[in-house]
Amino acid sequence: MSDVLLCVVDIRFPPLLFPPKLYDYCQKTLGKSIIVVLNKIDMIPSPLVVAWKDYFKKKYPELEVLCFTSYEGRGNEIKTGPGLKTKRRFRKLRMAGEGALELYKIIEKTVAGQVDLSSWKAKILEESNIAESDEQELEVDLVDTSVPDTSYYEFKRFQDGILTIGTIGQPNTGKSSLINGLMGKKVVSVSKTPGHTKHFQTIFLTPNVRLCDCPGLIFPSKVPKALQVLCGSYPIAQLREPYTTIKYLAERTNLPSILKINHPEGEKEWSAFDISDGWAEKKGYHTAKASRLDSYRAANHILRLALEGRIVLALRPPDFTKNENVWKNDPRVLEIEQIHSGVVASASEVGESDDENGEKEEEEDDDDEESPTQVSLFSSNKFALLEDD
C-alpha cells in the first residue's frame, strides 16, 4: 500500500543491511520508488558518510540516497582528547528539520505534482523556526477498535490524493526513530532491543501524507552471529554466550585501551574473559552469592556500548583509504555536518536534560563514573568483517 519506500540502514554497516534483491523487486517488478536512508550518521565521520552516499549512487543509479539522524542539532557536548572524543546527546525529541527537508525534496521530485505536499513543507519550515520549549502539547488519538479489513486489496498509487511512505529494513536500524524524527514528537515506541516493533502502524504526518512503520525484516544471511549482534539484528539479551562476540570485537578494536582497563592477572595477552573480568572489576560487577566478578554482565554491557555507538565498528567503501583526502575535502562534507550540528551546551545543561527532559531508558545505565572513550575502527574492505575467525 506504500507509494514510496524508505529502506533504512545503519550507516556503520550499509552493505550488510541493504538488500539488493528487494531493491530490484520494488524498482523493476512493482515499479515503486525506493529511497535508502543512511541512518545514524552522527556515529561516524562525515567524510565516510559522503563516501557511502557516493557508493550507493554509483552502484544503484536509480536509487535515491538520504542521510539522516534523529539527533540532529541536539546541543552536542564534545570533549576532545589526544586524538579521541566522546559525545553526549540530548534525548529531548524534536523534528529533524534538515533530514525532513531533504526527504521532502526527494519525494517532491518523485511525486511530480500528483499529490499536494505544500502542507508538509509548511510544517517543516514552521517546526524549524519554532524554538524548543520545555512544555509540549500532547495529542491523544482515538483507538480504532473496528475489525480490520483483510479482504483483497488492489493497490492504486496516490489513492484519494494521499501519499503513503513506508519504512522497511532490518531490526534496530532506526525505523521508528526516523518516524518520530519526521513527526517532531514521539508517536511510535522505540527501543534498543531488536524486534521491539511488532505491529504495522500508520501515522498521518499531514492530512495527505501518511507514514507506515512495520516490524524489521530478517533475510536469510551468512553473516556470523557475532556481527549480527554488533549490527543490532540479534538481541543481546538472547545471547547465551557473549564472549565470542567480545572476541570478535576485540580482534578489530583495542578494547583494553578504549575501556581503560587493566589485566585482572597482570599479563600482557588478553582474552575475551580477561576483558570482561577487567570491565567487571572496574564497574564493580559482582555475583550476588559468591561475590565473584560478574563477567557475563560485564560482557553484555560492553556489547551494549558497541550497539549504542560508544564503541564504533564500521565498514568503509572500496578505495576509501586511498582517496581519504579527497573525501575529507569534498564540499558535501559541510552538508552532512550541517545535518547534525547544534549549539554546544555546557556539561550541567546536558546532565539536566538527560535526567529531567529525557526519555526513560529501558536498560540500566551504569556509566556513573567514567565513560569509555568513543573510538572508531573502520575496515577498508567491505567484506573483511564477514570472514570467519
Side-chain angles (χ1 to χ4, degrees):
M1 60 180 293
S2 299
D3 302 306
V4 178
L5 290 174
L6 303 182
C7 182
V8 186
V9 300
D10 191 327
I11 188 62
R12 294 173 292 179
F13 309 99
L16 304 183
L17 302 175
F18 179 75
K21 294 293 185 181
L22 181 63
Y23 163 75
D24 292 336
Y25 177 74
C26 294
Q27 193 78 29
K28 299 177 182 178
T29 305
L30 299 181
K32 293 187 178 183
S33 301
I34 184 169
I35 303 171
V36 60
V37 180
L38 302 179
N39 202 15
K40 307 180 184 179
I41 62 172
D42 55 323
M43 290 187 176
I44 66 173
S46 298
L48 185 56
V49 177
V50 175
W52 274 120
K53 184 176 181 179
D54 188 75
Y55 168 83
F56 276 99
K57 291 295 293 182
K58 289 182 179 179
K59 192 171 181 65
Y60 308 99
E62 298 179 359
L63 181 67
E64 295 288 349
V65 183
L66 171 68
C67 298
F68 194 89
T69 173
S70 299
Y71 289 96
E72 71 175 42
R74 294 299 174 85
N76 293 337
E77 179 203 20
I78 301 177
K79 299 179 180 179
T80 57
L84 306 174
K85 64 180 180 179
T86 58
K87 178 172 62 176
R88 296 186 66 187
R89 304 178 295 195
F90 281 136
R91 294 195 183 101
K92 189 171 183 179
L93 185 63
R94 63 184 177 90
M95 177 180 285
E98 291 291 336
L101 184 59
E102 186 65 23
L103 178 61
Y104 165 79
K105 292 178 181 179
I106 296 175
I107 292 183
E108 183 184 33
K109 182 174 61 176
T110 303
V111 172
Q114 300 182 60
V115 178
D116 182 14
L117 302 178
S118 58
S119 59
W120 184 15
K121 183 178 180 180
K123 180 177 181 179
I124 295 175
L125 297 178
E126 180 183 359
E127 291 286 344
S128 300
N129 295 329
I130 294 178
E132 188 175 4
S133 59
D134 293 334
E135 296 182 359
Q136 296 182 353
E137 296 182 358
L138 297 179
E139 297 181 3
V140 179
D141 297 330
L142 297 177
V143 179
D144 185 7
T145 58
S146 60
V147 179
D149 184 11
T150 58
S151 60
Y152 175 76
Y153 173 79
E154 183 179 357
F155 172 76
K156 294 181 180 179
R157 198 175 189 190
F158 310 131
Q159 188 172 12
D160 299 328
I162 296 177
L163 170 67
T164 303
I165 304 174
T167 59
I168 57 175
Q170 295 199 29
N172 211 33
T173 55
K175 297 181 294 298
S176 299
S177 298
L178 169 69
I179 290 181
N180 289 336
L182 294 176
M183 291 291 296
K185 60 183 178 180
K186 185 175 180 179
V187 292
V188 291
S189 178
V190 297
S191 175
K192 301 172 187 176
T193 304
H196 179 72
T197 303
K198 296 179 173 61
H199 305 284
F200 183 84
Q201 308 171 76
T202 57
I203 303 98
F204 276 88
L205 180 60
T206 64
N208 54 356
V209 178
R210 178 170 53 194
L211 302 175
C212 298
D213 186 23
C214 69
L217 303 174
I218 296 295
F219 300 95
S221 175
K222 295 183 179 179
V223 177
K225 180 178 288 188
L227 193 52
Q228 293 181 34
V229 174
L230 297 175
C231 287
S233 300
Y234 193 92
I236 296 176
Q238 295 183 13
L239 275 179
R240 295 184 178 180
E241 182 270 300
Y243 307 106
T244 301
T245 310
I246 293 293
K247 176 176 178 289
Y248 189 95
L249 181 62
E251 289 174 344
R252 292 156 178 85
T253 60
N254 190 356
L255 279 183
S257 176
I258 297 173
L259 301 175
K260 299 179 181 179
I261 57 177
N262 299 319
H263 198 288
E265 300 180 2
E267 299 180 358
K268 295 183 179 180
E269 295 184 359
W270 290 82
S271 66
F273 287 97
D274 294 333
I275 294 175
S276 302
D277 287 343
W279 187 242
E281 184 177 3
K282 180 175 182 178
K283 302 301 292 184
Y285 297 160
H286 295 85
T287 58
K289 294 184 178 180
S291 190
R292 299 174 181 174
L293 292 176
D294 195 344
S295 56
Y296 180 83
R297 180 185 177 188
N300 277 269
H301 190 207
I302 294 174
L303 295 181
R304 296 185 191 282
L305 292 177
L307 185 62
E308 295 170 6
R310 306 280 291 279
I311 304 172
V312 182
L313 181 68
L315 299 176
R316 284 181 169 180
D319 299 327
F320 178 84
T321 304
K322 184 171 60 176
N323 303 320
E324 187 169 2
N325 292 331
V326 176
W327 294 117
K328 288 182 178 179
N329 298 322
D330 194 297
R332 291 173 294 177
V333 171
L334 297 178
E335 300 176 5
I336 301 300
E337 292 177 350
Q338 183 180 359
I339 294 179
H340 53 76
S341 63
V343 180
V344 178
S346 62
S348 59
E349 290 174 345
V350 173
E352 292 174 359
S353 175
D354 285 344
D355 295 336
E356 298 176 2
N357 300 327
E359 298 177 7
K360 294 182 180 180
E361 296 288 342
E362 295 189 3
E363 318 289 345
E364 180 184 0
D365 188 10
D366 299 307
D367 303 334
D368 51 357
E369 296 179 0
E370 183 181 4
S371 300
T373 307
Q374 179 180 353
V375 177
S376 302
L377 177 75
F378 307 103
S379 174
S380 58
N381 181 357
K382 65 176 182 178
F383 299 109
L385 299 181
L386 301 179
E387 297 177 358
D388 293 332
D389 298 334

